[in-house]
PDB file of all heavy atoms in Angstrom:
ATOM      1  N   ARG A   5      -3.807  -7.276  28.771  1.00 98.00           N
ATOM      2  CA  ARG A   5      -3.293  -7.295  30.134  1.00 98.00           C
ATOM      3  C   ARG A   5      -3.987  -6.124  30.897  1.00 98.00           C
ATOM      4  O   ARG A   5      -4.423  -5.156  30.279  1.00 98.00           O
ATOM      5  CB  ARG A   5      -1.827  -7.198  30.131  1.00 98.00           C
ATOM      6  CG  ARG A   5      -1.276  -5.846  29.786  1.00 98.00           C
ATOM      7  CD  ARG A   5       0.304  -5.894  29.856  1.00 98.00           C
ATOM      8  NE  ARG A   5       0.825  -4.578  29.567  1.00 98.00           N
ATOM      9  CZ  ARG A   5       2.157  -4.450  29.514  1.00 98.00           C
ATOM     10  NH1 ARG A   5       3.040  -5.434  29.637  1.00 98.00           N
ATOM     11  NH2 ARG A   5       2.601  -3.189  29.294  1.00 98.00           N
ATOM     12  N   GLN A   6      -4.061  -6.302  32.151  1.00 98.00           N
ATOM     13  CA  GLN A   6      -4.693  -5.297  33.052  1.00 98.00           C
ATOM     14  C   GLN A   6      -3.803  -5.145  34.291  1.00 98.00           C
ATOM     15  O   GLN A   6      -3.809  -6.136  35.177  1.00 98.00           O
ATOM     16  CB  GLN A   6      -6.116  -5.521  33.384  1.00 98.00           C
ATOM     17  CG  GLN A   6      -6.739  -4.359  34.128  1.00 98.00           C
ATOM     18  CD  GLN A   6      -8.212  -4.578  34.050  1.00 98.00           C
ATOM     19  OE1 GLN A   6      -8.811  -5.676  33.937  1.00 98.00           O
ATOM     20  NE2 GLN A   6      -8.970  -3.445  34.369  1.00 98.00           N
ATOM     21  N   ALA A   7      -3.155  -4.105  34.434  1.00 97.00           N
ATOM     22  CA  ALA A   7      -2.335  -3.778  35.668  1.00 97.00           C
ATOM     23  C   ALA A   7      -3.260  -3.172  36.784  1.00 97.00           C
ATOM     24  O   ALA A   7      -4.251  -2.659  36.409  1.00 97.00           O
ATOM     25  CB  ALA A   7      -1.132  -2.844  35.341  1.00 97.00           C
ATOM     26  N   PRO A   8      -2.892  -3.244  37.968  1.00 93.00           N
ATOM     27  CA  PRO A   8      -3.638  -2.679  38.992  1.00 93.00           C
ATOM     28  C   PRO A   8      -3.893  -1.178  38.756  1.00 93.00           C
ATOM     29  O   PRO A   8      -3.006  -0.433  38.440  1.00 93.00           O
ATOM     30  CB  PRO A   8      -2.795  -2.888  40.226  1.00 93.00           C
ATOM     31  CG  PRO A   8      -1.964  -4.084  39.997  1.00 93.00           C
ATOM     32  CD  PRO A   8      -1.715  -4.005  38.494  1.00 93.00           C
ATOM     33  N   GLY A   9      -5.154  -0.780  38.867  1.00 95.00           N
ATOM     34  CA  GLY A   9      -5.492   0.630  38.732  1.00 95.00           C
ATOM     35  C   GLY A   9      -5.535   1.056  37.229  1.00 95.00           C
ATOM     36  O   GLY A   9      -5.691   2.279  36.951  1.00 95.00           O
ATOM     37  N   ALA A  10      -5.253   0.233  36.272  1.00 97.00           N
ATOM     38  CA  ALA A  10      -5.190   0.542  34.773  1.00 97.00           C
ATOM     39  C   ALA A  10      -6.324  -0.121  34.158  1.00 97.00           C
ATOM     40  O   ALA A  10      -6.972  -1.096  34.590  1.00 97.00           O
ATOM     41  CB  ALA A  10      -3.791   0.151  34.318  1.00 97.00           C
ATOM     42  N   GLU A  11      -6.548   0.359  32.881  1.00 97.00           N
ATOM     43  CA  GLU A  11      -7.557  -0.248  32.042  1.00 97.00           C
ATOM     44  C   GLU A  11      -6.896  -1.416  31.363  1.00 97.00           C
ATOM     45  O   GLU A  11      -5.653  -1.518  31.168  1.00 97.00           O
ATOM     46  CB  GLU A  11      -7.983   0.814  30.992  1.00 97.00           C
ATOM     47  CG  GLU A  11      -8.610   2.034  31.461  1.00 97.00           C
ATOM     48  CD  GLU A  11      -9.982   1.591  32.239  1.00 97.00           C
ATOM     49  OE1 GLU A  11     -10.723   0.718  31.637  1.00 97.00           O
ATOM     50  OE2 GLU A  11     -10.205   2.199  33.292  1.00 97.00           O
ATOM     51  N   ARG A  12      -7.773  -2.345  30.893  1.00 97.00           N
ATOM     52  CA  ARG A  12      -7.256  -3.513  30.106  1.00 97.00           C
ATOM     53  C   ARG A  12      -6.837  -3.052  28.735  1.00 97.00           C
ATOM     54  O   ARG A  12      -7.420  -2.244  28.078  1.00 97.00           O
ATOM     55  CB  ARG A  12      -8.424  -4.470  30.003  1.00 97.00           C
ATOM     56  CG  ARG A  12      -7.992  -5.918  29.488  1.00 97.00           C
ATOM     57  CD  ARG A  12      -9.058  -6.871  29.548  1.00 97.00           C
ATOM     58  NE  ARG A  12      -9.523  -7.083  30.896  1.00 97.00           N
ATOM     59  CZ  ARG A  12     -10.345  -8.065  31.288  1.00 97.00           C
ATOM     60  NH1 ARG A  12     -10.851  -8.864  30.355  1.00 97.00           N
ATOM     61  NH2 ARG A  12     -10.650  -8.190  32.566  1.00 97.00           N
ATOM     62  N   GLU A  13      -5.675  -3.504  28.405  1.00 98.00           N
ATOM     63  CA  GLU A  13      -5.063  -3.075  27.074  1.00 98.00           C
ATOM     64  C   GLU A  13      -4.617  -4.263  26.263  1.00 98.00           C
ATOM     65  O   GLU A  13      -4.121  -5.258  26.841  1.00 98.00           O
ATOM     66  CB  GLU A  13      -3.940  -2.075  27.336  1.00 98.00           C
ATOM     67  CG  GLU A  13      -2.686  -2.715  28.191  1.00 98.00           C
ATOM     68  CD  GLU A  13      -1.622  -1.815  28.371  1.00 98.00           C
ATOM     69  OE1 GLU A  13      -1.519  -0.676  27.770  1.00 98.00           O
ATOM     70  OE2 GLU A  13      -0.811  -2.067  29.300  1.00 98.00           O
ATOM     71  N   LEU A  14      -4.692  -4.027  24.918  1.00 98.00           N
ATOM     72  CA  LEU A  14      -4.208  -5.099  24.067  1.00 98.00           C
ATOM     73  C   LEU A  14      -2.753  -5.197  24.102  1.00 98.00           C
ATOM     74  O   LEU A  14      -1.951  -4.320  24.077  1.00 98.00           O
ATOM     75  CB  LEU A  14      -4.612  -4.702  22.649  1.00 98.00           C
ATOM     76  CG  LEU A  14      -4.150  -5.672  21.500  1.00 98.00           C
ATOM     77  CD1 LEU A  14      -4.941  -6.927  21.510  1.00 98.00           C
ATOM     78  CD2 LEU A  14      -4.265  -4.996  20.160  1.00 98.00           C
ATOM     79  N   VAL A  15      -2.305  -6.521  24.129  1.00 98.00           N
ATOM     80  CA  VAL A  15      -0.947  -6.864  24.080  1.00 98.00           C
ATOM     81  C   VAL A  15      -0.528  -7.254  22.583  1.00 98.00           C
ATOM     82  O   VAL A  15       0.367  -6.754  21.970  1.00 98.00           O
ATOM     83  CB  VAL A  15      -0.482  -7.895  25.012  1.00 98.00           C
ATOM     84  CG1 VAL A  15       0.985  -8.326  24.824  1.00 98.00           C
ATOM     85  CG2 VAL A  15      -0.795  -7.497  26.384  1.00 98.00           C
ATOM     86  N   ALA A  16      -1.401  -8.245  22.104  1.00 98.00           N
ATOM     87  CA  ALA A  16      -1.162  -8.764  20.764  1.00 98.00           C
ATOM     88  C   ALA A  16      -2.310  -9.573  20.266  1.00 98.00           C
ATOM     89  O   ALA A  16      -3.104 -10.020  21.119  1.00 98.00           O
ATOM     90  CB  ALA A  16       0.148  -9.675  20.794  1.00 98.00           C
ATOM     91  N   TYR A  17      -2.409  -9.641  18.984  1.00 98.00           N
ATOM     92  CA  TYR A  17      -3.431 -10.552  18.466  1.00 98.00           C
ATOM     93  C   TYR A  17      -2.948 -11.353  17.261  1.00 98.00           C
ATOM     94  O   TYR A  17      -1.928 -10.925  16.654  1.00 98.00           O
ATOM     95  CB  TYR A  17      -4.780  -9.859  18.149  1.00 98.00           C
ATOM     96  CG  TYR A  17      -4.706  -8.988  17.003  1.00 98.00           C
ATOM     97  CD1 TYR A  17      -4.836  -9.459  15.607  1.00 98.00           C
ATOM     98  CD2 TYR A  17      -4.790  -7.571  17.093  1.00 98.00           C
ATOM     99  CE1 TYR A  17      -4.894  -8.585  14.557  1.00 98.00           C
ATOM    100  CE2 TYR A  17      -4.769  -6.667  16.122  1.00 98.00           C
ATOM    101  CZ  TYR A  17      -4.768  -7.179  14.751  1.00 98.00           C
ATOM    102  OH  TYR A  17      -4.929  -6.297  13.787  1.00 98.00           O
ATOM    103  N   ILE A  18      -3.564 -12.402  16.876  1.00 97.00           N
ATOM    104  CA  ILE A  18      -3.166 -13.207  15.712  1.00 97.00           C
ATOM    105  C   ILE A  18      -4.452 -13.710  15.032  1.00 97.00           C
ATOM    106  O   ILE A  18      -5.451 -14.119  15.722  1.00 97.00           O
ATOM    107  CB  ILE A  18      -2.277 -14.379  16.068  1.00 97.00           C
ATOM    108  CG1 ILE A  18      -1.842 -15.165  14.825  1.00 97.00           C
ATOM    109  CG2 ILE A  18      -2.836 -15.255  17.080  1.00 97.00           C
ATOM    110  CD1 ILE A  18      -0.705 -16.138  15.043  1.00 97.00           C
ATOM    111  N   SER A  19      -4.525 -13.644  13.764  1.00 97.00           N
ATOM    112  CA  SER A  19      -5.711 -14.037  13.040  1.00 97.00           C
ATOM    113  C   SER A  19      -5.456 -15.425  12.496  1.00 97.00           C
ATOM    114  O   SER A  19      -4.403 -15.714  11.805  1.00 97.00           O
ATOM    115  CB  SER A  19      -6.007 -13.175  11.767  1.00 97.00           C
ATOM    116  OG  SER A  19      -6.944 -13.757  10.970  1.00 97.00           O
ATOM    117  N   GLY A  20      -6.234 -16.386  12.809  1.00 95.00           N
ATOM    118  CA  GLY A  20      -6.185 -17.683  12.349  1.00 95.00           C
ATOM    119  C   GLY A  20      -6.481 -17.923  10.848  1.00 95.00           C
ATOM    120  O   GLY A  20      -6.119 -18.933  10.320  1.00 95.00           O
ATOM    121  N   VAL A  21      -7.208 -16.866  10.169  1.00 94.00           N
ATOM    122  CA  VAL A  21      -7.482 -16.958   8.847  1.00 94.00           C
ATOM    123  C   VAL A  21      -6.321 -16.332   8.022  1.00 94.00           C
ATOM    124  O   VAL A  21      -5.919 -16.996   7.008  1.00 94.00           O
ATOM    125  CB  VAL A  21      -8.840 -16.117   8.579  1.00 94.00           C
ATOM    126  CG1 VAL A  21      -9.087 -16.118   7.086  1.00 94.00           C
ATOM    127  CG2 VAL A  21     -10.001 -16.796   9.267  1.00 94.00           C
ATOM    128  N   SER A  22      -5.985 -15.150   8.342  1.00 93.00           N
ATOM    129  CA  SER A  22      -4.961 -14.469   7.577  1.00 93.00           C
ATOM    130  C   SER A  22      -3.477 -14.688   8.061  1.00 93.00           C
ATOM    131  O   SER A  22      -2.510 -14.433   7.285  1.00 93.00           O
ATOM    132  CB  SER A  22      -5.165 -12.940   7.512  1.00 93.00           C
ATOM    133  OG  SER A  22      -5.068 -12.363   8.687  1.00 93.00           O
ATOM    134  N   GLY A  23      -3.411 -15.030   9.340  1.00 94.00           N
ATOM    135  CA  GLY A  23      -2.091 -15.197   9.915  1.00 94.00           C
ATOM    136  C   GLY A  23      -1.513 -13.842  10.374  1.00 94.00           C
ATOM    137  O   GLY A  23      -0.330 -13.798  10.952  1.00 94.00           O
ATOM    138  N   LYS A  24      -2.249 -12.720  10.168  1.00 95.00           N
ATOM    139  CA  LYS A  24      -1.857 -11.461  10.546  1.00 95.00           C
ATOM    140  C   LYS A  24      -1.555 -11.334  12.135  1.00 95.00           C
ATOM    141  O   LYS A  24      -2.460 -11.868  12.799  1.00 95.00           O
ATOM    142  CB  LYS A  24      -2.766 -10.355  10.117  1.00 95.00           C
ATOM    143  CG  LYS A  24      -2.304  -8.966  10.572  1.00 95.00           C
ATOM    144  CD  LYS A  24      -3.426  -7.943  10.146  1.00 95.00           C
ATOM    145  CE  LYS A  24      -3.019  -6.494  10.691  1.00 95.00           C
ATOM    146  NZ  LYS A  24      -3.996  -5.535  10.222  1.00 95.00           N
ATOM    147  N   THR A  25      -0.550 -10.821  12.557  1.00 97.00           N
ATOM    148  CA  THR A  25      -0.191 -10.461  13.960  1.00 97.00           C
ATOM    149  C   THR A  25      -0.156  -8.990  14.125  1.00 97.00           C
ATOM    150  O   THR A  25       0.307  -8.296  13.204  1.00 97.00           O
ATOM    151  CB  THR A  25       1.042 -11.153  14.393  1.00 97.00           C
ATOM    152  OG1 THR A  25       2.171 -10.808  13.620  1.00 97.00           O
ATOM    153  CG2 THR A  25       0.884 -12.738  14.344  1.00 97.00           C
ATOM    154  N   GLN A  26      -0.471  -8.621  15.351  1.00 97.00           N
ATOM    155  CA  GLN A  26      -0.321  -7.176  15.647  1.00 97.00           C
ATOM    156  C   GLN A  26       0.121  -7.145  17.073  1.00 97.00           C
ATOM    157  O   GLN A  26      -0.429  -7.956  17.942  1.00 97.00           O
ATOM    158  CB  GLN A  26      -1.637  -6.496  15.432  1.00 97.00           C
ATOM    159  CG  GLN A  26      -1.551  -4.933  15.725  1.00 97.00           C
ATOM    160  CD  GLN A  26      -0.852  -4.301  14.672  1.00 97.00           C
ATOM    161  OE1 GLN A  26      -0.969  -4.480  13.419  1.00 97.00           O
ATOM    162  NE2 GLN A  26      -0.015  -3.209  15.091  1.00 97.00           N
ATOM    163  N   TYR A  27       0.929  -6.191  17.401  1.00 98.00           N
ATOM    164  CA  TYR A  27       1.573  -5.942  18.754  1.00 98.00           C
ATOM    165  C   TYR A  27       1.399  -4.601  19.215  1.00 98.00           C
ATOM    166  O   TYR A  27       1.457  -3.557  18.429  1.00 98.00           O
ATOM    167  CB  TYR A  27       2.954  -6.441  18.848  1.00 98.00           C
ATOM    168  CG  TYR A  27       3.197  -7.794  18.547  1.00 98.00           C
ATOM    169  CD1 TYR A  27       3.557  -8.216  17.203  1.00 98.00           C
ATOM    170  CD2 TYR A  27       3.243  -8.760  19.521  1.00 98.00           C
ATOM    171  CE1 TYR A  27       3.865  -9.559  16.962  1.00 98.00           C
ATOM    172  CE2 TYR A  27       3.512 -10.078  19.226  1.00 98.00           C
ATOM    173  CZ  TYR A  27       3.765 -10.438  17.900  1.00 98.00           C
ATOM    174  OH  TYR A  27       4.044 -11.780  17.619  1.00 98.00           O
ATOM    175  N   ALA A  28       1.088  -4.366  20.548  1.00 98.00           N
ATOM    176  CA  ALA A  28       1.163  -3.040  21.049  1.00 98.00           C
ATOM    177  C   ALA A  28       2.528  -2.477  20.974  1.00 98.00           C
ATOM    178  O   ALA A  28       3.480  -3.253  20.950  1.00 98.00           O
ATOM    179  CB  ALA A  28       0.693  -3.098  22.550  1.00 98.00           C
ATOM    180  N   GLU A  29       2.613  -1.158  21.041  1.00 97.00           N
ATOM    181  CA  GLU A  29       3.912  -0.541  20.795  1.00 97.00           C
ATOM    182  C   GLU A  29       4.747  -0.797  21.933  1.00 97.00           C
ATOM    183  O   GLU A  29       6.041  -0.983  21.798  1.00 97.00           O
ATOM    184  CB  GLU A  29       3.634   1.007  20.690  1.00 97.00           C
ATOM    185  CG  GLU A  29       3.062   1.476  19.293  1.00 97.00           C
ATOM    186  CD  GLU A  29       3.083   2.982  19.236  1.00 97.00           C
ATOM    187  OE1 GLU A  29       3.492   3.679  20.141  1.00 97.00           O
ATOM    188  OE2 GLU A  29       2.682   3.514  18.135  1.00 97.00           O
ATOM    189  N   PHE A  30       4.252  -1.073  23.141  1.00 96.00           N
ATOM    190  CA  PHE A  30       5.056  -1.240  24.269  1.00 96.00           C
ATOM    191  C   PHE A  30       5.809  -2.610  24.206  1.00 96.00           C
ATOM    192  O   PHE A  30       6.749  -2.862  24.970  1.00 96.00           O
ATOM    193  CB  PHE A  30       4.287  -1.089  25.588  1.00 96.00           C
ATOM    194  CG  PHE A  30       3.199  -2.159  25.804  1.00 96.00           C
ATOM    195  CD1 PHE A  30       3.459  -3.419  26.152  1.00 96.00           C
ATOM    196  CD2 PHE A  30       1.885  -1.742  25.688  1.00 96.00           C
ATOM    197  CE1 PHE A  30       2.460  -4.316  26.355  1.00 96.00           C
ATOM    198  CE2 PHE A  30       0.850  -2.564  25.956  1.00 96.00           C
ATOM    199  CZ  PHE A  30       1.201  -3.921  26.229  1.00 96.00           C
ATOM    200  N   VAL A  31       5.367  -3.559  23.330  1.00 96.00           N
ATOM    201  CA  VAL A  31       6.008  -4.810  23.175  1.00 96.00           C
ATOM    202  C   VAL A  31       7.487  -4.739  22.736  1.00 96.00           C
ATOM    203  O   VAL A  31       8.322  -5.373  23.184  1.00 96.00           O
ATOM    204  CB  VAL A  31       5.110  -5.739  22.274  1.00 96.00           C
ATOM    205  CG1 VAL A  31       5.988  -6.971  21.821  1.00 96.00           C
ATOM    206  CG2 VAL A  31       3.860  -6.124  22.903  1.00 96.00           C
ATOM    207  N   GLU A  32       7.668  -3.818  21.809  1.00 93.00           N
ATOM    208  CA  GLU A  32       9.044  -3.531  21.306  1.00 93.00           C
ATOM    209  C   GLU A  32       9.798  -4.720  20.895  1.00 93.00           C
ATOM    210  O   GLU A  32      10.915  -4.940  21.238  1.00 93.00           O
ATOM    211  CB  GLU A  32       9.869  -2.626  22.232  1.00 93.00           C
ATOM    212  CG  GLU A  32       9.145  -1.348  22.508  1.00 93.00           C
ATOM    213  CD  GLU A  32       9.848  -0.546  23.599  1.00 93.00           C
ATOM    214  OE1 GLU A  32      10.731  -1.133  24.308  1.00 93.00           O
ATOM    215  OE2 GLU A  32       9.526   0.719  23.645  1.00 93.00           O
TER     216      GLU A  32
END
């Protein structure tokens, strides 16, 4: 995501191979 005036930042990802998911801390 990218808010006005901010850098683009990761929210989450998911691997189709391993199934691993990862979330940014702000997701909580």
